[in-house]
Amino acid sequence: MAPAPIRYLIRKPLADVRSDIDRHGLHRALGPVHLVLIGIGCIIGAGVYVMTGTAAANYAGPAVMLSFVFAGLACAFTGLCYAELSSTLPVSGASYSYAYAALGEAFAWGLGWMLMLELGLAGSALAVGVSGYLVSLLGDFGIHVPAVLATPFIRPAAGEAGTAFVTGGGINLVATAAVLLFAFILVRGVSQSATINAIMVTVKVGVLIAFIIFGLPHVDPANWKPFIPENEGGFTYGWAGVLRGASILFFAYLGFEAVATAALEAKKPQRDIPIGILGALAIATIVYMAVAAVLTGLVSYKMLNVPDPVAVAVSAIGMPVLSIVIKVGALTGLCSVLMVNTYAHSRVCYAMSTDGLLPPLFSRVHARFRTPHQGTWFVALAAGIAAAFLPISMLGDLVSLGTGCVFITVAISVIWLRSTQPELPRPFRVPFGGFRVGKLWLGVVPMLALVFCVLMMAPVVLDIIRKAMVGEWLPATILGLYIAFGVCFYLFYGVGHSRLRRTLSEA
């Protein structure tokens, strides 16, 4: 028997990865247009409707446009890595499956566990955003939702920053209901879900274009001065603030990960997955940049530290009807991201379950709808519970940190597969080539992806450490407990139920 450390690094043979394609039981119904729309549906949402204001007001100022550039570059390089891997290994689970084949089971479990944290907390944050915009929109029409039904149980303490919280006040059942509603839609079938997503994407992109068209004539260039405000210490403005703003906006680019998880339901995955990833990323980045420019040009960046910065900017130009339209678009945008995020979360769990690392309920496929119905309901319920009890301020940094870990693993997987399996068919290859150091292939794109992802994660890590040192311990505690539980679950359940381990022991 191999030494214990080696036993945890067993890799899933590429032949097994490819054989999963033929026995998954899911319905291939998605073409390149649907996949691009799925990506846009997940990318354009909280990043532009909510987090842009926070990043501009607290960290980057008008230079939040540069924050989008840095975050977009990190995601573009990583997206190219995803495109190569997904065309080479078109399987469900995306980065989890890539890590299993490239780096070994223990790395795959750790990556999958962090991916579940990333998608779960993102779903919770999106649901809280949906709740906030819906309550605000209903209020415009004289319908007032009781605060007890739209306020999380844990709330930031009055006058406190960081992770000082108080309990009581309500349970955000509106957010929970939003998650469960989209779980119901997803369970009914991926084709119907993609159609609904296409409608929502069309509405929200149309609203953002209207915001740009109507807002552009009212832009005051004086609001862009100084473009990069002078640093006030730490990550408050200056170039440090621009980078911190990019780390906040980083998680809003999760769309291409969702596209990669759809490999088993794509009609021609080798062709369609790269198109979906790169097309969605390019369109979303252009929209983000344009909206950020108009947003910071309409009002002072210091006015944008609110949950609905786009609506605030529209109100400043005296167009109340357009303000309502913007809220409808924001609500639609957040809903589409929430649906695609739940879809991606359930498919990652499906892949881990088929490998035996999660219980079988995550991989049971509905006899009629051909969707992993039990797993979808489970992840939606978990996200809904978190949304009911936790405030959105607790979620963003942990999501970005999980995203960075996942993206780094993807870049390393490309390097490893190119180094050890150069003969594999690759319908899509990352551009700009690379060079070899001995047997190790170092590609320009994967290396740039690693550098930019580290730059995105560093401010988050430093902020969590700083908060822990002054007694604001909650983010570090949540992350530590989650990692500890994941290690225990893998050792006491995953190792014993691993399909790969059973196959090797029987051989």
Side-chain angles (χ1 to χ4, degrees):
M1 180 178 294
I6 302 299
R7 284 184 288 143
Y8 295 124
L9 298 178
I10 58 174
R11 297 186 179 97
K12 190 174 186 179
L14 295 179
D16 287 358
V17 175
R18 290 180 174 273
S19 70
D20 288 343
I21 301 172
D22 300 321
R23 61 168 177 255
H24 56 78
L26 301 178
H27 181 48
R28 292 196 180 277
L30 303 178
V33 175
H34 269 151
L35 291 169
V36 169
L37 290 174
I38 284 176
I40 295 173
C42 200
I43 293 173
I44 298 179
V48 69
Y49 285 114
V50 179
M51 304 308 294
T52 304
T54 300
N58 296 332
Y59 301 108
V64 69
M65 289 179 271
L66 296 181
S67 296
F68 275 120
V69 172
F70 285 123
L73 283 172
C75 295
F77 293 129
T78 309
L80 290 169
C81 295
Y82 265 108
E84 175 168 323
L85 289 175
S86 62
S87 71
T88 307
L89 303 172
V91 294
S92 185
S95 50
Y96 157 76
S97 297
Y98 310 149
Y100 211 157
L103 305 175
E105 186 177 271
F107 282 97
W109 168 261
L111 186 283
W113 194 246
M114 290 302 292
L115 191 56
M116 289 169 62
L117 174 70
E118 167 198 321
L119 294 172
L121 291 181
S124 301
L126 289 163
V128 173
V130 168
S131 173
Y133 267 98
L134 179 60
V135 170
S136 177
L137 181 63
L138 291 175
D140 291 338
F141 291 96
I143 303 173
H144 300 287
V145 178
V148 71
L149 299 179
T151 303
F153 182 74
I154 298 175
R155 298 173 288 109
E160 296 286 346
T163 54
F165 298 97
V166 296
T167 59
I171 298 178
N172 199 340
L173 296 180
V174 176
T176 303
V179 182
L180 297 179
L181 171 62
F182 287 107
F184 173 77
I185 294 172
L186 288 167
V187 166
R188 299 288 295 181
V190 68
S191 295
Q192 295 88 336
S193 304
T195 300
I196 292 173
N197 178 68
I199 295 172
M200 290 191 294
V201 168
T202 302
V203 171
K204 72 178 180 180
V205 172
V207 168
L208 287 177
I209 292 174
F211 169 72
I212 295 169
I213 292 173
F214 286 100
L216 193 58
H218 299 274
V219 166
D220 182 1
N223 287 322
W224 292 333
K225 298 177 182 178
F227 186 68
I228 303 178
E230 186 176 351
N231 183 267
E232 297 180 4
F235 292 108
T236 304
Y237 308 129
W239 281 104
V242 171
L243 189 60
R244 184 67 177 95
S247 71
I248 290 175
L249 300 170
F250 192 37
F251 86 94
Y253 285 91
L254 287 175
F256 57 81
E257 168 75 14
V259 175
T261 65
L264 290 183
E265 290 156 287
K267 293 178 181 178
K268 296 181 179 179
Q270 283 86 356
R271 180 201 68 181
D272 297 346
I273 295 296
I275 292 175
I277 290 172
L278 299 178
L281 190 59
I283 293 171
T285 301
I286 292 171
V287 173
Y288 271 162
M289 292 289 293
V291 171
V294 174
L295 183 68
T296 54
L298 289 177
V299 296
S300 169
Y301 62 88
K302 294 185 178 181
M303 296 174 57
L304 297 175
N305 190 25
V306 293
D308 53 348
V310 179
V312 168
V314 173
S315 298
I317 61 178
M319 301 179 70
V321 174
L322 183 60
S323 180
I324 292 177
V325 172
I326 291 297
K327 290 182 182 180
V328 172
L331 187 59
T332 304
L334 291 170
C335 284
S336 68
V337 180
L338 177 57
M339 185 174 75
V340 177
N341 186 86
T342 305
Y343 169 87
H345 195 178
S346 66
R347 268 47 177 187
V348 169
C349 293
Y350 172 90
M352 297 178 71
S353 178
T354 58
D355 287 330
L357 301 182
L358 285 179
L361 74 89
F362 291 99
S363 56
R364 293 191 183 118
V365 177
H366 195 283
R368 177 184 173 189
F369 302 123
R370 310 305 300 166
T371 57
H373 57 300
Q374 293 182 349
T376 300
W377 282 116
F378 186 94
V379 300
L381 184 61
I385 292 173
F389 288 89
L390 302 179
I392 195 170
S393 59
M394 191 184 294
L395 305 172
D397 279 349
L398 292 177
V399 174
S400 291
L401 192 60
T403 302
C405 291
V406 171
F407 288 0
I408 284 173
T409 304
V410 168
I412 293 174
S413 296
V414 171
I415 293 172
W416 185 89
L417 284 175
R418 284 286 196 101
S419 300
T420 61
Q421 304 283 341
E423 74 288 348
L424 276 179
R426 291 175 172 86
F428 179 88
R429 291 173 176 264
V430 294
F432 309 125
F435 56 93
R436 287 189 174 271
V437 179
K439 294 184 178 180
L440 181 64
W441 177 83
L442 297 175
V444 173
V445 168
M447 294 301 294
L448 286 173
L450 289 173
V451 170
F452 273 91
C453 286
V454 170
L455 287 175
M456 294 300 101
M457 294 173 63
V460 179
V461 174
L462 292 174
D463 241 9
I464 289 177
I465 293 174
R466 180 187 62 81
K467 290 176 181 178
M469 292 177 65
V470 297
E472 298 175 354
W473 47 265
L474 194 53
T477 300
I478 291 175
L479 185 62
L481 289 176
Y482 183 81
I483 292 174
F485 181 76
V487 171
C488 293
F489 192 93
Y490 174 64
L491 293 177
F492 292 102
Y493 181 89
V495 171
H497 293 80
S498 167
R499 191 183 79 188
L500 177 59
R501 290 176 183 278
R502 291 199 303 269
T503 301
L504 293 177
S505 65
E506 294 169 0

